[in-house]
């Protein structure tokens, strides 16, 4: 055998088996190493709040090492932070199967209870964990912070100081931060800042220490330093929703509201089940609603989420009730939701006078439930709430709406006496007189209201600028001073901003003006047509539009323009029927439409419409005549004037007064003159 062959033989017999054994050993070690890496990397991802990555890595670690308690406990903690409570509970049970006596099990149960806002339950579990191992740093820290949350800051401080005594070096900054926050709760702000500052100095790259120091600066009112600390925390961890939430508060108290809103929205996006930013987003929109009422609509979804996540907090229900009450887009159902939210707020916090006051407003103004409004007012008084001058006028409105006029007038008179230059008292007194139908008595109060505030800019109870003028026009109309009525309705329209005035209010004013013009000469009647057209343009689907169409149709009917009259009245009837929900049927529209069809000699359609009218008023004599079937044609001797085919000549009618026929057949072709408002007497047969 050659030397080379000997070397190859040695390699095959000696080196290759040795290398194979080494490879097998390496592969055997590789599995646990990968499992250990997944656990280590998963914990790191959890610390930097990358929950998705942490869950994937830790689930892999659990699969690779099903008997590893550390892997299961880390995975359970990640599930808790990811708000996957049912899965977290299952993983905790898996930990218990591995080691039922482990202190980590009650600790994890405490974290799960805390995530579900069960703070008392969490405290009990943390104490159970410490009972199993007294020097358990994670449980000690969590217990101290939970006691803080429950308002037991002294007990929390004691536990955090106890934990600091045995904390490992890398845990010291965390305990110092917690101690600083407990001292902050107890208003020992200088000592709190010292403790948190020491924590930052010991671990300047620890997010938790910067957040704690930022919170303490917020409590001290040093907002610029709070922002600096929290900005640094964001630089260290861009995925922690708590950091962005605290930064949002710093921006809010620094009056940087746009930045605050963005920070809160980032926190909410990072954790959609994190309750606090949901409230603050909604709260900011409620505050902004004073200047832009559309913001109230934006607030409602966030506040609904907050009250679902934290139903025991009265302020969430209060803001939700206010947002729904003040939103210009709210429906009747949302006003009911507003009332329910305010009920819950006052049930949780019986001393919250704002909730009662809003309840009075939404019940009285939106739901017209004055009994409920009075009940809220009585509860507000029982809570010892002090009423402002504007609130006193609200109470006067309640008395007015309940027809308790002496009480209303007495309250309003006191408000006027307290400040004769305030416009709202004068308006409320006029409103009371309107409710009492004392229109002449209302006029001087409305004139005084205009004298002290002609533009409506000083009203504190939301009286539209046009309304005093419009009410004056109505008052003069009621006392039959039509010229004065027209003047003030014109002034009301001049003070009505088309961008902010409701279409229905614009329609009402144009209708009032058109009705006044219609009572004048031919020139005025032409002006009336323009006003009626403006009603339809402002709000084409309302009862006001139907009234305008009726008036326009009546004008054409009176001028014997029956086809034009029928077209306009068809439009009016179509508006009633096609509206969703349908408007209330109107007998006057059906009567005039049937009469117009008679004028156009469209008797079939006239009868069809008349039958609809009789469904509303079966005793209407005119509609009964129109709806009656045509009389049967009798044969006549030759030469007596019959039309070809034996039918009566068109336009023929029986002699006598058709208005006294009482249901008898008026004729196959009753003439238009048988229907009011022209005449109800049929011409005599020639």
């Amino acid at each position: 055998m050659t030397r080379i062959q000997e070397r190859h033989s040695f390699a095959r017999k000696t080196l290759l088996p040795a290398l194979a054994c080494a490879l097998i050993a390496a592969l055997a070690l590789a599995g646990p190493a990968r499992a250990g890496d997944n656990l280590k990397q998963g914990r790191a991802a959890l610390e930097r709040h990358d929950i998705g990555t942490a869950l994937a890595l830790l689930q892999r670690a659990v699969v690779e090492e099903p008997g590893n308690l550390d892997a299961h406990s880390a995975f359970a903690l990640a599930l808790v932070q990811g708000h996957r409570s049912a899965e977290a509970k299952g993983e905790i049970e898996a930990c218990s199967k591995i080691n039922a006596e482990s202190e980590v099990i009650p600790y994890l149960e405490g974290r799960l209870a805390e995530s579900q806002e069960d703070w008392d339950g969490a405290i009990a579990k943390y104490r159970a964990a410490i009972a199993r191992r007294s020097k358990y740093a994670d449980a000690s820290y969590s217990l101290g912070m939970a006691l803080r949350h429950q308002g037991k800051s002294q007990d929390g401080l004691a536990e955090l100081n106890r934990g600091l005594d045995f904390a490992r070096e890398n845990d010291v900054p965390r305990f110092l931060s917690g101690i600083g926050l407990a001292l902050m709760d107890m208003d020992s702000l200088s000592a709190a800042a010292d403790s948190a500052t020491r924590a930052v100095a010991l671990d300047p790259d620890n997010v938790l220490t910067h957040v704690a120091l930022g919170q303490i600066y917020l409590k001290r009112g040093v907002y610029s330093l709070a922002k600096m600390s929290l900005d640094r925390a964001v630089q260290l961890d861009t995925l922690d929703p708590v950091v962005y939430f605290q930064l949002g508060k710093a921006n809010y108290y620094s009056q940087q509201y746009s930045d605050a809103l963005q920070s809160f929205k980032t926190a909410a996006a990072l954790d959609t089940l994190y309750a606090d930013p949901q409230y603050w987003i909604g709260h900011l929109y409620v505050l902004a609603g004073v200047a832009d009422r559309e913001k109230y609509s934006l607030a409602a979804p966030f506040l609904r989420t907050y009250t679902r996540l934290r139903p025991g907090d009265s302020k969430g229900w209060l803001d939700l009730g206010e947002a729904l009450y003040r939103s210009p887009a709210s429906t009747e159902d949302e006003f009911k939701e507003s009332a329910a939210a305010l009920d819950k707020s006052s049930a949780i916090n019986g001393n919250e006078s704002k909730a009662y006051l809003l309840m009075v407003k939404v019940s009285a103004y939106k739901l017209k439930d004055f009994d409920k409004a009075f009940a809220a007012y009585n509860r507000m008084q029982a809570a010892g709430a002090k009423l402002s001058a504007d609130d006193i006028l609200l109470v006067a409105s309640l008395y007015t709406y309940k027809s308790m006029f002496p009480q209303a007038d007495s309250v309003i008179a006191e408000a006027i006496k307290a400040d004769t230059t305030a416009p709202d008292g004068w308006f409320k007194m006029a409103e009371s007189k309107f409710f009492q139908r004392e229109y002449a008595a209302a006029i001087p109060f409305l004139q005084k209201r205009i004298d002290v505030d002609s533009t409506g800019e000083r009203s504190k109870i939301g009286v539209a600028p046009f309304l005093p003028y419009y009410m004056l026009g109505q008052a003069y109309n009621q006392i039959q001073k039509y010229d004065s009525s027209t003047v003030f309705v014109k002034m009301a329209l001049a003070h009505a901003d088309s961008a902010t005035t409701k279409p229905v209010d614009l329609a009402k004013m144009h209708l009032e003006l058109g009705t006044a013009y219609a009572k004048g000469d031919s020139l005025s009647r032409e002006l009336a047509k323009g006003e009626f057209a403006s009603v339809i343009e402002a709000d084409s689907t309302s009862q006001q539009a139907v009234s305008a169409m009726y008036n326009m149709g009546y004008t054409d009917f009176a001028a014997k323009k029956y086809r034009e009259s029928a077209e306009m009245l068809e439009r009016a009837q179509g508006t009633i029927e096609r509206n969703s929900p349908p408007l209330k049927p109107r007998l006057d529209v059906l009567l005039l439409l049937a009469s117009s069809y008679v004028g156009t000699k469209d008797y079939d359609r006239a009868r069809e419409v008349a039958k609809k009218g009789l469904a509303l008023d079966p005793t209407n004599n005119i509609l009964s005549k129109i709806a009656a079937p045509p009389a049967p044609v009798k044969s006549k001797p030759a030469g007596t004037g019959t039309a070809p085919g034996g039918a009566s000549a068109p336009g023929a009618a029986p002699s006598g007064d058709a208005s006294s026929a009482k249901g008898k057949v008026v004729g196959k072709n009753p003439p238009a003159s048988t229907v009011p408002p022209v005449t109800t007497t049929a011409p005599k047969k020639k």
Side-chain angles (χ1 to χ4, degrees):
M1 183 181 291
T2 64
R3 194 178 295 256
I4 293 174
Q5 288 173 330
E6 288 176 356
R7 283 202 297 269
H8 280 290
S9 176
F10 175 79
R12 284 194 303 271
K13 294 177 180 179
T14 307
L15 293 180
L16 287 178
L19 287 171
C21 290
L23 180 59
I24 291 169
L27 289 172
L29 292 171
R34 282 197 298 273
D37 286 346
N38 286 327
L39 178 56
K40 182 179 179 181
Q41 292 170 12
R43 281 174 167 168
L46 195 57
E47 286 182 7
R48 65 176 183 271
H49 295 91
D50 187 354
I51 305 299
T53 301
L55 285 168
L57 288 167
L58 293 170
Q59 187 173 29
R60 203 176 303 156
V62 165
V63 171
E64 291 169 344
E65 286 192 282
N68 187 331
L69 181 61
D70 289 343
H72 280 282
S73 62
F75 186 39
L77 195 55
L79 289 167
V80 168
Q81 293 192 27
H83 303 289
R84 292 162 61 173
S85 300
E87 295 172 75
K89 185 177 180 182
E91 200 59 32
I92 294 170
E93 289 172 357
C95 291
S96 182
K97 291 176 182 178
I98 296 170
N99 184 357
E101 301 303 318
S102 173
E103 68 278 3
V104 77
I105 295 167
Y107 168 70
L108 290 171
E109 289 173 338
R111 292 295 297 268
L112 179 59
E114 184 178 315
S115 72
Q116 297 172 330
E117 303 278 337
D118 180 9
W119 289 93
D120 291 336
I123 288 170
K125 292 296 182 181
Y126 294 143
R127 284 182 169 146
I130 291 170
R132 294 187 181 186
R133 178 158 69 94
S134 64
K135 294 183 179 181
Y136 187 2
D138 287 340
S140 177
Y141 176 79
S142 295
L143 175 59
M145 300 302 283
L147 288 166
R148 275 191 61 234
H149 184 276
Q150 292 301 86
K152 300 175 182 178
S153 299
Q154 187 70 54
D155 293 341
L157 178 62
E159 181 58 36
L160 290 164
N161 274 316
R162 189 188 77 83
L164 182 63
D165 289 341
F166 58 78
R168 293 172 299 179
E169 184 178 350
N170 62 337
D171 273 335
V172 168
R174 175 170 61 150
F175 277 93
L176 286 173
S177 297
I179 289 167
L181 291 171
L183 289 167
M184 175 192 76
D185 296 338
M186 299 159 62
D187 291 328
S188 298
L189 298 180
S190 180
D194 289 343
S195 184
T197 302
R198 283 177 59 204
V200 171
L202 287 172
D203 192 354
D205 293 331
N206 187 327
V207 174
L208 190 148
T209 62
H210 289 283
V211 172
L213 184 57
Q215 287 180 264
I216 292 166
Y217 281 137
L218 278 177
K219 182 73 177 283
R220 294 179 67 178
V222 188
Y223 304 128
S224 58
L225 293 180
K227 274 180 55 63
M228 286 176 59
S229 293
L230 293 163
D231 281 333
R232 176 58 182 154
V234 168
Q235 292 170 5
L236 292 170
D237 188 347
T238 59
L239 297 177
D240 188 347
V242 175
V243 174
Y244 283 100
F245 171 66
Q246 294 296 340
L247 179 59
K249 288 175 67 176
N251 285 321
Y252 172 80
Y253 289 117
S254 300
Q255 298 183 351
Q256 297 177 15
Y257 300 119
S258 295
D259 291 341
L261 183 62
Q262 188 55 53
S263 296
F264 292 139
K265 285 187 173 181
T266 302
L270 288 170
D271 185 349
T272 57
L273 298 179
Y274 184 16
D276 291 320
Q278 299 285 345
Y279 169 75
W280 279 89
I281 295 168
H283 185 62
L284 275 173
Y285 279 134
V286 168
L287 295 177
V290 175
D292 179 3
R293 293 184 65 223
E294 296 295 334
K295 293 294 191 294
Y296 290 118
S297 302
L298 298 177
F302 295 99
L303 293 167
R304 285 191 181 107
T305 300
Y306 179 74
T307 52
R308 177 173 55 82
L309 295 172
R310 197 169 287 168
D313 188 353
S314 64
K315 69 178 183 291
W317 294 111
L318 176 61
D319 274 15
L320 177 59
E322 182 171 8
L324 292 171
Y325 164 63
R326 299 191 188 281
S327 170
S330 284
T331 63
E332 184 174 356
D333 285 342
E334 285 168 323
F335 290 133
K336 291 178 181 177
E337 184 185 354
S338 169
L342 294 167
D343 264 340
K344 289 179 181 177
S345 177
S346 58
I348 296 167
N349 181 4
N351 295 319
E352 181 54 78
S353 59
K354 184 178 180 181
Y356 295 125
L357 183 59
L358 285 169
M359 175 64 79
V360 172
K361 290 181 178 181
V362 73
S363 299
Y365 293 151
K366 304 300 183 182
L367 300 176
K368 308 301 181 185
D369 186 343
F370 303 114
D371 291 334
K372 189 166 188 175
F374 260 109
Y377 169 60
N378 291 333
R379 288 164 66 191
M380 183 170 62
Q381 283 189 310
K386 293 183 178 179
L387 296 177
S388 67
D390 301 334
D391 298 338
I392 290 171
L393 290 176
L394 172 61
V395 174
S397 295
L398 290 182
Y399 286 130
T400 299
Y401 298 151
K402 291 284 287 183
S403 299
M404 300 168 68
F405 299 119
Q407 295 92 324
D409 291 352
S410 175
V411 170
I412 298 169
E414 287 297 318
I416 292 173
K417 183 178 179 181
D419 186 358
T420 58
T421 64
D424 291 328
W426 298 107
F427 178 82
K428 281 296 178 183
M429 187 65 86
E431 184 182 59
S432 175
K433 299 305 178 186
F434 254 71
F435 270 81
Q436 298 173 63
R437 301 182 185 277
E438 296 178 5
Y439 301 108
I443 289 173
F445 293 109
L446 288 166
Q447 288 174 330
K448 184 65 177 178
R449 161 64 174 78
I450 292 170
D451 288 343
V452 299
D453 183 17
S454 61
T455 62
E457 294 176 352
R458 293 176 52 217
S459 175
K460 294 181 179 179
I461 59 174
V463 177
F466 71 85
L467 192 53
Y469 297 95
Y470 179 52
M471 288 176 66
L472 262 176
Q474 288 183 309
Y476 279 118
N477 185 62
Q478 290 293 332
I479 62 174
Q480 299 181 2
K481 293 187 176 181
Y482 301 120
D483 290 341
S484 296
S485 173
T486 302
V487 168
F488 282 105
V489 175
K490 280 183 178 178
M491 293 177 71
L493 281 166
H495 283 82
D497 181 359
S498 58
T500 57
T501 305
K502 293 179 180 178
V504 66
D505 290 330
L506 289 171
K508 284 179 181 178
M509 287 185 279
H510 282 296
L511 182 62
E512 189 95 17
L513 194 55
T515 304
Y517 282 142
K519 295 173 182 175
D521 55 20
S522 58
L523 179 59
S524 295
R525 287 196 291 274
E526 286 301 314
L527 293 174
K529 285 185 179 180
E531 293 301 325
F532 293 142
S534 295
V535 174
I536 299 168
E537 181 181 354
D539 190 2
S540 62
T541 61
S542 66
Q543 279 287 12
Q544 285 74 31
V546 173
S547 294
M549 294 171 194
Y550 174 85
N551 277 284
M552 294 173 78
Y554 182 87
T555 301
D556 287 330
F557 185 91
K560 298 187 178 181
K561 296 178 180 179
Y562 302 123
R563 191 170 305 282
E564 291 86 343
S565 172
E567 288 174 357
M568 185 56 67
L569 291 159
E570 284 170 355
R571 187 176 174 187
Q573 183 61 21
T575 300
I576 292 171
E577 293 176 352
R578 288 192 297 271
N579 208 41
S580 181
L583 299 176
K584 184 178 179 181
R586 287 182 49 166
L587 182 66
D588 57 346
V589 171
L590 292 169
L591 178 60
L592 193 57
L593 178 56
S595 303
S596 298
Y597 282 142
V598 170
T600 63
K601 302 187 182 345
D602 191 345
Y603 303 115
D604 289 338
R605 297 177 77 179
R607 292 186 187 97
E608 181 184 341
V609 172
K611 289 175 182 176
K612 289 184 179 180
L614 288 171
L616 301 178
D617 181 8
T619 65
N620 189 284
N621 192 37
I622 298 170
L623 288 172
S624 296
K625 293 171 186 175
I626 297 173
V633 179
K634 296 180 180 179
S635 59
K636 296 183 180 181
T640 57
T642 58
S648 299
S655 61
D657 187 353
S659 64
S660 64
K662 291 188 178 181
K664 294 180 181 178
V665 177
V666 177
K668 182 176 180 181
N669 300 317
S673 59
T674 62
V675 183
V678 181
T679 178
T680 60
T681 304
K684 294 183 179 180
K685 188 190 299 182
K686 293 182 180 180

